[in-house]
Amino acid sequence: MAALRCFLRSGKGAVSVLLRRELHATAPASAQVMVRDALNQAMDEELERDERVFLLGEEVAQYDGAYKVSRGLWKKYGDKRIIDTPITEVMCDSVLAPPPQAGLRPICEFMTFNFSMQAIDQVINSAAKTYYMSAGLQPVPIVFRGPNGASAGVAAQHSQCFAAWYGHCPGLKVISPWSAEDCKGLLKSAIRDDNPVVFLENELMYGVPFEMSEEAQSKDFTIPIGKAKIERPGSHITLVSHSRFVGHCLDAAAVLAKEGIECEVINLRTIRPLDVECIEGSVMKTNHLVTVEGGWPQFGVGAEICARIMEGPAFNYLDAPAVRVTGVDIPMPYAKILEDNSIPQIKDIIFSVKKTLNV
Amino acid sequence: LIQGLVAQSSCLALVLIFILIFNFLCPSFEGPAGKAELTREQGLQYYRTMQTIRRMELRADQLYKQKIIRGFCHLYDGQEACAVGIESAINPSDHLITAYRSHGYTYTRGVSVKEILAELTGRKGGVAKGKGGSMHMYAPHFYGGNGIVGAQIPLGAGIALACQYQGNNQVCVTLYGDGAANQGQLFESFNMAALWKLPCIFICENNRYGMGTSVERASASTDYYMRGDFIPGIRVDGMDVLCVREATKFAADHCRAGKGPIVMELQTYRYHGHSMSDPGVSYRTREEIQEVRSKSDPISLLKERMLSSNMASAEEFKVIDVEIRKEVEEAAQFATSDPEPPLEELCNHIFYNEAPIEVRGTNPWSKLKSVS
């Protein structure tokens, strides 16, 4: 039911992505894969490939995962590799910090990243900084993954986006995928990476299907961390986004295309390290920039992008100030009408594009 | 476990309650007496309150399935004796804080069914004007409704500190579940409360499952009343409203006498799954749920006790049931017809006692207003 709702909500985006994909790539054996299943496949393949990899978190084993992302893994790999923990986020982190230093490669699931605040000291001070503090003696190959950002009707304490918080810290890699292909390729890369990686999924995307090429379905398919993807080329304006709002940008681009405005939509894929070259290259072509994110504006991902553009060669190519479309600067309210007006809608993106282009 | 004694008079029932006491490090600790008195008025009032909570939660279940309530909804049916027993043993001027399974406590702490259901449906008539939702309902001396597991515990210790600081002879009841019982912040709170002798009653509502994980799979020790180590603890049958009341009375007296904190474990059960998105049968059997329902239901227990000691008649209970059904139905009507909060409310209540501020909307041209 939730999957259906998700699909209906961003189905248009998925369908238009599908159509675009069919124009660009004619892979014969492509399949429709839901984001949830792509994540499941990634973990399954990496668990099989390397027995030092294991998954640990609340309800990941016998319950099949709070959002069913780890469905079937416990049945396949058993108690040693898929571990249910008590509700103790700090211990999940602390328990996992030594294992990387002792040769294991844990995946720590946070039921949502809101709960990671209970353990954020360990993520930053024990995971992110350790390789630096030890001058190279103790690497920490660990993945922290889970849903991030707003869901539907879960109110203030369960709706925060942590991309900016984690993206702020040196020593961490921070990934925020959008499509099923992103999720599979990037999660595999994250698990294989020897550094602490924060992998920010999105609950509303779990049930959304995407077309995955045959290549993407293979067991060795990885996507490099730190490289953005141009989902839709365009010449008039650059839209940069991450996670669920990439879909919103594509929807807005489809509407604007009817009015003759061609948007180039960039899917960041990785928050840290940020693929500034990709954004700069695009801005130098289109001369206009709008960033779109679900998180709060102050000190956010969009703010960082704007600052980097200012400091780099692309600044001279801007014909208008770069603009951020963000969540409203308030805790997330519960009532539907208030919640809907707290996060960027497609009309907000369209409005900002037109204001920036002065049309 | 309860052993009921049929009373001589039709107004009172003397009930033996079995309460397990932990006095591991406190040999001089004497627990609550094994007897309680129940008057007819009290019995009917407890029945009414528990039944109201039960019907309210079941109505919320229906509203959720109709998608009129959205997001998270953690229902309390089965655990009514805990909320009602605790409230009957403390004063309205005492304080209480709990986690997200909070609708029962919101009611016992004074919020009407109408305001609770309207909050669940996200309307402006809700107790938090529709901005909080299921897990964030508040009232005077009731601090929610908290979404993050265990985070309410140190808050409760803090409220107890405030009581001590102000010397007002009030106590703070700090509730948590068996899932939260393994959180580090609980033990930090234990230490601080004991060290400073805070008037804090730590109450663990042990309903045997933390989401989908049974207590055996989560806790090295499932004797939650002993987890306070240097803090005395009582284990109580949480399905018996009188047990809960007597234990809470004892605990409150203990705190008010300046003896420091105390731990209570209420052994209880939830009929629903963890939340409305959990069917609740993948980690426990339907037989188990049915058995608790038929043998230990808190409302039935009280009703049988009163009927068998001739304290009330079956017709009287029926009348109460009808009244409650009507009240809950009217509340549900209100909750489905009341309008959503107006958009002007969106940015209000960021700060307290401040001049109005401007808040950035979704884009730089959207400037919204926030009033304290």
Side-chain angles (χ1 to χ4, degrees), chain B residues 246-281:
Chain B
E246 291 308 303
T248 311
K249 258 196 206 146
F250 177 85
D253 291 341
H254 174 97
C255 289
R256 282 189 236 277
K259 294 181 186 169
I262 189 167
V263 175
M264 273 169 57
E265 176 189 344
L266 303 181
Q267 295 189 305
T268 183
Y269 200 82
R270 53 166 162 84
Y271 296 143
H272 269 85
H274 163 75
S275 71
M276 285 303 297
S277 48
D278 169 28
V281 288

mmCIF file of all heavy atoms in Angstrom, chain B residues 246-281:
data_model
loop_
_atom_site.group_PDB
_atom_site.id
_atom_site.type_symbol
_atom_site.label_atom_id
_atom_site.label_comp_id
_atom_site.label_asym_id
_atom_site.label_seq_id
_atom_site.Cartn_x
_atom_site.Cartn_y
_atom_site.Cartn_z
ATOM 1 N N GLU B 246 -1.693 0.845 43.990
ATOM 2 C CA GLU B 246 -1.041 0.717 45.292
ATOM 3 C C GLU B 246 0.467 0.873 45.185
ATOM 4 O O GLU B 246 1.108 1.536 46.008
ATOM 5 C CB GLU B 246 -1.387 -0.638 45.926
ATOM 6 C CG GLU B 246 -2.838 -0.752 46.343
ATOM 7 C CD GLU B 246 -3.284 0.403 47.220
ATOM 8 O OE1 GLU B 246 -2.664 0.643 48.286
ATOM 9 O OE2 GLU B 246 -4.239 1.116 46.824
ATOM 10 N N ALA B 247 1.028 0.265 44.147
ATOM 11 C CA ALA B 247 2.468 0.376 43.985
ATOM 12 C C ALA B 247 2.874 1.818 43.726
ATOM 13 O O ALA B 247 3.873 2.316 44.263
ATOM 14 C CB ALA B 247 2.924 -0.520 42.828
ATOM 15 N N THR B 248 2.073 2.510 42.898
ATOM 16 C CA THR B 248 2.402 3.903 42.595
ATOM 17 C C THR B 248 2.262 4.783 43.824
ATOM 18 O O THR B 248 3.080 5.672 44.068
ATOM 19 C CB THR B 248 1.514 4.431 41.455
ATOM 20 O OG1 THR B 248 1.526 3.509 40.370
ATOM 21 C CG2 THR B 248 1.990 5.782 40.972
ATOM 22 N N LYS B 249 1.235 4.517 44.617
ATOM 23 C CA LYS B 249 1.054 5.280 45.870
ATOM 24 C C LYS B 249 2.273 5.118 46.748
ATOM 25 O O LYS B 249 2.826 6.079 47.289
ATOM 26 C CB LYS B 249 -0.159 4.723 46.642
ATOM 27 C CG LYS B 249 -1.394 5.513 46.535
ATOM 28 C CD LYS B 249 -2.396 5.112 47.635
ATOM 29 C CE LYS B 249 -3.800 5.418 47.146
ATOM 30 N NZ LYS B 249 -4.819 4.531 47.576
ATOM 31 N N PHE B 250 2.680 3.864 46.866
ATOM 32 C CA PHE B 250 3.849 3.569 47.687
ATOM 33 C C PHE B 250 5.067 4.299 47.144
ATOM 34 O O PHE B 250 5.839 4.912 47.889
ATOM 35 C CB PHE B 250 4.085 2.051 47.703
ATOM 36 C CG PHE B 250 5.309 1.660 48.452
ATOM 37 C CD1 PHE B 250 5.264 1.488 49.824
ATOM 38 C CD2 PHE B 250 6.523 1.487 47.805
ATOM 39 C CE1 PHE B 250 6.402 1.142 50.538
ATOM 40 C CE2 PHE B 250 7.664 1.143 48.502
ATOM 41 C CZ PHE B 250 7.603 0.973 49.876
ATOM 42 N N ALA B 251 5.228 4.236 45.834
ATOM 43 C CA ALA B 251 6.391 4.869 45.211
ATOM 44 C C ALA B 251 6.360 6.378 45.405
ATOM 45 O O ALA B 251 7.374 7.007 45.713
ATOM 46 C CB ALA B 251 6.423 4.532 43.720
ATOM 47 N N ALA B 252 5.191 6.961 45.248
ATOM 48 C CA ALA B 252 5.074 8.410 45.405
ATOM 49 C C ALA B 252 5.394 8.827 46.849
ATOM 50 O O ALA B 252 6.087 9.815 47.085
ATOM 51 C CB ALA B 252 3.680 8.868 45.004
ATOM 52 N N ASP B 253 4.899 8.046 47.804
ATOM 53 C CA ASP B 253 5.213 8.347 49.211
ATOM 54 C C ASP B 253 6.710 8.259 49.457
ATOM 55 O O ASP B 253 7.297 9.091 50.155
ATOM 56 C CB ASP B 253 4.483 7.368 50.149
ATOM 57 C CG ASP B 253 2.981 7.602 50.153
ATOM 58 O OD1 ASP B 253 2.559 8.706 49.732
ATOM 59 O OD2 ASP B 253 2.230 6.691 50.554
ATOM 60 N N HIS B 254 7.310 7.247 48.874
ATOM 61 C CA HIS B 254 8.755 7.054 49.009
ATOM 62 C C HIS B 254 9.507 8.286 48.519
ATOM 63 O O HIS B 254 10.412 8.809 49.189
ATOM 64 C CB HIS B 254 9.148 5.805 48.210
ATOM 65 C CG HIS B 254 10.614 5.525 48.126
ATOM 66 N ND1 HIS B 254 11.263 4.638 48.962
ATOM 67 C CD2 HIS B 254 11.569 6.008 47.305
ATOM 68 C CE1 HIS B 254 12.537 4.578 48.650
ATOM 69 N NE2 HIS B 254 12.760 5.403 47.648
ATOM 70 N N CYS B 255 9.104 8.771 47.348
ATOM 71 C CA CYS B 255 9.789 9.936 46.779
ATOM 72 C C CYS B 255 9.510 11.187 47.587
ATOM 73 O O CYS B 255 10.414 11.987 47.850
ATOM 74 C CB CYS B 255 9.339 10.160 45.333
ATOM 75 S SG CYS B 255 9.950 8.909 44.202
ATOM 76 N N ARG B 256 8.268 11.359 47.980
ATOM 77 C CA ARG B 256 7.913 12.574 48.730
ATOM 78 C C ARG B 256 8.600 12.620 50.081
ATOM 79 O O ARG B 256 8.856 13.690 50.626
ATOM 80 C CB ARG B 256 6.390 12.678 48.908
ATOM 81 C CG ARG B 256 5.673 13.167 47.671
ATOM 82 C CD ARG B 256 4.214 13.468 47.983
ATOM 83 N NE ARG B 256 3.318 12.734 47.112
ATOM 84 C CZ ARG B 256 2.977 13.124 45.886
ATOM 85 N NH1 ARG B 256 3.462 14.240 45.387
ATOM 86 N NH2 ARG B 256 2.159 12.401 45.155
ATOM 87 N N ALA B 257 8.946 11.456 50.613
ATOM 88 C CA ALA B 257 9.633 11.421 51.906
ATOM 89 C C ALA B 257 11.113 11.745 51.752
ATOM 90 O O ALA B 257 11.865 11.704 52.725
ATOM 91 C CB ALA B 257 9.472 10.031 52.534
ATOM 92 N N GLY B 258 11.533 12.066 50.541
ATOM 93 C CA GLY B 258 12.926 12.451 50.322
ATOM 94 C C GLY B 258 13.873 11.277 50.242
ATOM 95 O O GLY B 258 15.088 11.430 50.370
ATOM 96 N N LYS B 259 13.339 10.070 49.996
ATOM 97 C CA LYS B 259 14.212 8.904 49.984
ATOM 98 C C LYS B 259 14.859 8.684 48.611
ATOM 99 O O LYS B 259 15.596 7.728 48.411
ATOM 100 C CB LYS B 259 13.403 7.653 50.364
ATOM 101 C CG LYS B 259 12.889 7.685 51.799
ATOM 102 C CD LYS B 259 12.115 6.414 52.123
ATOM 103 C CE LYS B 259 11.486 6.530 53.501
ATOM 104 N NZ LYS B 259 10.516 5.446 53.749
ATOM 105 N N GLY B 260 14.525 9.546 47.634
ATOM 106 C CA GLY B 260 15.168 9.386 46.333
ATOM 107 C C GLY B 260 14.280 8.644 45.361
ATOM 108 O O GLY B 260 13.100 8.404 45.625
ATOM 109 N N PRO B 261 14.844 8.226 44.238
ATOM 110 C CA PRO B 261 14.028 7.629 43.193
ATOM 111 C C PRO B 261 13.642 6.197 43.515
ATOM 112 O O PRO B 261 14.157 5.592 44.457
ATOM 113 C CB PRO B 261 14.955 7.654 41.968
ATOM 114 C CG PRO B 261 16.328 7.582 42.553
ATOM 115 C CD PRO B 261 16.266 8.303 43.863
ATOM 116 N N ILE B 262 12.745 5.673 42.722
ATOM 117 C CA ILE B 262 12.324 4.280 42.867
ATOM 118 C C ILE B 262 11.954 3.776 41.475
ATOM 119 O O ILE B 262 11.572 4.554 40.614
ATOM 120 C CB ILE B 262 11.142 4.193 43.861
ATOM 121 C CG1 ILE B 262 10.818 2.730 44.206
ATOM 122 C CG2 ILE B 262 9.906 4.901 43.326
ATOM 123 C CD1 ILE B 262 9.890 2.602 45.406
ATOM 124 N N VAL B 263 12.127 2.478 41.277
ATOM 125 C CA VAL B 263 11.824 1.894 39.969
ATOM 126 C C VAL B 263 10.603 0.995 40.099
ATOM 127 O O VAL B 263 10.457 0.272 41.079
ATOM 128 C CB VAL B 263 13.016 1.043 39.462
ATOM 129 C CG1 VAL B 263 12.653 0.334 38.151
ATOM 130 C CG2 VAL B 263 14.246 1.899 39.252
ATOM 131 N N MET B 264 9.714 1.060 39.110
ATOM 132 C CA MET B 264 8.599 0.123 39.077
ATOM 133 C C MET B 264 8.597 -0.568 37.737
ATOM 134 O O MET B 264 8.834 0.063 36.710
ATOM 135 C CB MET B 264 7.264 0.868 39.218
ATOM 136 C CG MET B 264 6.829 1.107 40.651
ATOM 137 S SD MET B 264 5.443 2.256 40.734
ATOM 138 C CE MET B 264 4.228 1.480 39.725
ATOM 139 N N GLU B 265 8.324 -1.866 37.734
ATOM 140 C CA GLU B 265 8.133 -2.565 36.466
ATOM 141 C C GLU B 265 6.688 -3.017 36.415
ATOM 142 O O GLU B 265 6.228 -3.731 37.310
ATOM 143 C CB GLU B 265 9.047 -3.781 36.374
ATOM 144 C CG GLU B 265 8.822 -4.615 35.112
ATOM 145 C CD GLU B 265 9.574 -5.948 35.134
ATOM 146 O OE1 GLU B 265 10.490 -6.101 35.969
ATOM 147 O OE2 GLU B 265 9.239 -6.834 34.341
ATOM 148 N N LEU B 266 5.950 -2.554 35.407
ATOM 149 C CA LEU B 266 4.571 -2.992 35.242
ATOM 150 C C LEU B 266 4.558 -4.058 34.160
ATOM 151 O O LEU B 266 4.907 -3.782 33.010
ATOM 152 C CB LEU B 266 3.688 -1.814 34.812
ATOM 153 C CG LEU B 266 3.685 -0.590 35.726
ATOM 154 C CD1 LEU B 266 2.751 0.488 35.175
ATOM 155 C CD2 LEU B 266 3.249 -0.970 37.133
ATOM 156 N N GLN B 267 4.160 -5.271 34.524
ATOM 157 C CA GLN B 267 4.087 -6.336 33.525
ATOM 158 C C GLN B 267 2.745 -6.230 32.831
ATOM 159 O O GLN B 267 1.698 -6.444 33.445
ATOM 160 C CB GLN B 267 4.267 -7.689 34.188
ATOM 161 C CG GLN B 267 5.664 -7.829 34.775
ATOM 162 C CD GLN B 267 5.964 -9.236 35.257
ATOM 163 O OE1 GLN B 267 5.209 -9.769 36.065
ATOM 164 N NE2 GLN B 267 7.047 -9.815 34.773
ATOM 165 N N THR B 268 2.790 -5.849 31.578
ATOM 166 C CA THR B 268 1.554 -5.566 30.852
ATOM 167 C C THR B 268 1.638 -6.158 29.449
ATOM 168 O O THR B 268 2.530 -6.966 29.161
ATOM 169 C CB THR B 268 1.286 -4.040 30.858
ATOM 170 O OG1 THR B 268 0.043 -3.780 30.200
ATOM 171 C CG2 THR B 268 2.392 -3.285 30.144
ATOM 172 N N TYR B 269 0.687 -5.779 28.586
ATOM 173 C CA TYR B 269 0.626 -6.390 27.246
ATOM 174 C C TYR B 269 -0.107 -5.459 26.304
ATOM 175 O O TYR B 269 -1.062 -4.800 26.715
ATOM 176 C CB TYR B 269 -0.134 -7.725 27.322
ATOM 177 C CG TYR B 269 0.132 -8.643 26.162
ATOM 178 C CD1 TYR B 269 1.272 -9.450 26.136
ATOM 179 C CD2 TYR B 269 -0.754 -8.723 25.091
ATOM 180 C CE1 TYR B 269 1.532 -10.293 25.075
ATOM 181 C CE2 TYR B 269 -0.499 -9.566 24.031
ATOM 182 C CZ TYR B 269 0.643 -10.357 24.019
ATOM 183 O OH TYR B 269 0.893 -11.200 22.959
ATOM 184 N N ARG B 270 0.354 -5.380 25.081
ATOM 185 C CA ARG B 270 -0.363 -4.583 24.093
ATOM 186 C C ARG B 270 -1.022 -5.532 23.084
ATOM 187 O O ARG B 270 -0.377 -6.447 22.588
ATOM 188 C CB ARG B 270 0.554 -3.596 23.371
ATOM 189 C CG ARG B 270 1.803 -4.190 22.743
ATOM 190 C CD ARG B 270 2.448 -3.194 21.768
ATOM 191 N NE ARG B 270 3.830 -3.496 21.459
ATOM 192 C CZ ARG B 270 4.233 -4.361 20.519
ATOM 193 N NH1 ARG B 270 3.355 -5.040 19.814
ATOM 194 N NH2 ARG B 270 5.530 -4.542 20.291
ATOM 195 N N TYR B 271 -2.291 -5.292 22.790
ATOM 196 C CA TYR B 271 -2.979 -6.170 21.843
ATOM 197 C C TYR B 271 -2.572 -5.870 20.412
ATOM 198 O O TYR B 271 -2.401 -6.766 19.596
ATOM 199 C CB TYR B 271 -4.500 -6.026 21.979
ATOM 200 C CG TYR B 271 -5.028 -6.478 23.318
ATOM 201 C CD1 TYR B 271 -6.070 -5.813 23.933
ATOM 202 C CD2 TYR B 271 -4.490 -7.588 23.979
ATOM 203 C CE1 TYR B 271 -6.571 -6.223 25.158
ATOM 204 C CE2 TYR B 271 -4.976 -7.996 25.211
ATOM 205 C CZ TYR B 271 -6.018 -7.305 25.791
ATOM 206 O OH TYR B 271 -6.524 -7.712 27.002
ATOM 207 N N HIS B 272 -2.407 -4.577 20.118
ATOM 208 C CA HIS B 272 -1.999 -4.208 18.767
ATOM 209 C C HIS B 272 -0.514 -4.490 18.582
ATOM 210 O O HIS B 272 0.232 -4.727 19.543
ATOM 211 C CB HIS B 272 -2.248 -2.711 18.529
ATOM 212 C CG HIS B 272 -3.587 -2.406 17.952
ATOM 213 N ND1 HIS B 272 -4.719 -2.260 18.726
ATOM 214 C CD2 HIS B 272 -3.990 -2.221 16.662
ATOM 215 C CE1 HIS B 272 -5.755 -2.000 17.942
ATOM 216 N NE2 HIS B 272 -5.336 -1.975 16.696
ATOM 217 N N GLY B 273 -0.081 -4.422 17.326
ATOM 218 C CA GLY B 273 1.351 -4.485 17.071
ATOM 219 C C GLY B 273 2.022 -3.220 17.587
ATOM 220 O O GLY B 273 1.385 -2.366 18.188
ATOM 221 N N HIS B 274 3.283 -3.111 17.337
ATOM 222 C CA HIS B 274 4.048 -1.961 17.800
ATOM 223 C C HIS B 274 3.378 -0.660 17.351
ATOM 224 O O HIS B 274 3.217 0.273 18.134
ATOM 225 C CB HIS B 274 5.473 -2.047 17.246
ATOM 226 C CG HIS B 274 6.226 -0.765 17.303
ATOM 227 N ND1 HIS B 274 6.744 -0.249 18.467
ATOM 228 C CD2 HIS B 274 6.531 0.135 16.342
ATOM 229 C CE1 HIS B 274 7.344 0.902 18.207
ATOM 230 N NE2 HIS B 274 7.231 1.159 16.923
ATOM 231 N N SER B 275 3.021 -0.612 16.076
ATOM 232 C CA SER B 275 2.319 0.548 15.544
ATOM 233 C C SER B 275 1.319 0.036 14.513
ATOM 234 O O SER B 275 1.229 -1.171 14.295
ATOM 235 C CB SER B 275 3.284 1.522 14.883
ATOM 236 O OG SER B 275 3.774 0.958 13.668
ATOM 237 N N MET B 276 0.619 0.940 13.885
ATOM 238 C CA MET B 276 -0.404 0.490 12.936
ATOM 239 C C MET B 276 0.204 -0.141 11.690
ATOM 240 O O MET B 276 -0.498 -0.779 10.915
ATOM 241 C CB MET B 276 -1.303 1.663 12.525
ATOM 242 C CG MET B 276 -2.295 2.083 13.593
ATOM 243 S SD MET B 276 -3.375 0.755 14.139
ATOM 244 C CE MET B 276 -4.255 0.386 12.626
ATOM 245 N N SER B 277 1.506 0.043 11.462
ATOM 246 C CA SER B 277 2.094 -0.633 10.303
ATOM 247 C C SER B 277 2.691 -1.986 10.682
ATOM 248 O O SER B 277 3.334 -2.638 9.876
ATOM 249 C CB SER B 277 3.149 0.258 9.638
ATOM 250 O OG SER B 277 4.017 0.775 10.612
ATOM 251 N N ASP B 278 2.465 -2.423 11.927
ATOM 252 C CA ASP B 278 2.962 -3.722 12.364
ATOM 253 C C ASP B 278 1.760 -4.597 12.701
ATOM 254 O O ASP B 278 1.043 -4.320 13.656
ATOM 255 C CB ASP B 278 3.858 -3.544 13.592
ATOM 256 C CG ASP B 278 4.201 -4.873 14.253
ATOM 257 O OD1 ASP B 278 4.221 -5.904 13.545
ATOM 258 O OD2 ASP B 278 4.450 -4.870 15.468
ATOM 259 N N PRO B 279 1.541 -5.666 11.944
ATOM 260 C CA PRO B 279 0.396 -6.522 12.271
ATOM 261 C C PRO B 279 0.524 -7.196 13.637
ATOM 262 O O PRO B 279 -0.454 -7.593 14.235
ATOM 263 C CB PRO B 279 0.381 -7.575 11.159
ATOM 264 C CG PRO B 279 1.683 -7.460 10.458
ATOM 265 C CD PRO B 279 2.246 -6.116 10.732
ATOM 266 N N GLY B 280 1.740 -7.315 14.125
ATOM 267 C CA GLY B 280 1.935 -7.799 15.497
ATOM 268 C C GLY B 280 1.881 -9.293 15.648
ATOM 269 O O GLY B 280 1.821 -9.805 16.759
ATOM 270 N N VAL B 281 1.901 -10.021 14.520
ATOM 271 C CA VAL B 281 1.828 -11.473 14.635
ATOM 272 C C VAL B 281 3.017 -12.189 14.007
ATOM 273 O O VAL B 281 3.041 -13.415 13.962
ATOM 274 C CB VAL B 281 0.511 -12.017 14.030
ATOM 275 C CG1 VAL B 281 -0.662 -11.667 14.919
ATOM 276 C CG2 VAL B 281 0.304 -11.499 12.618
#
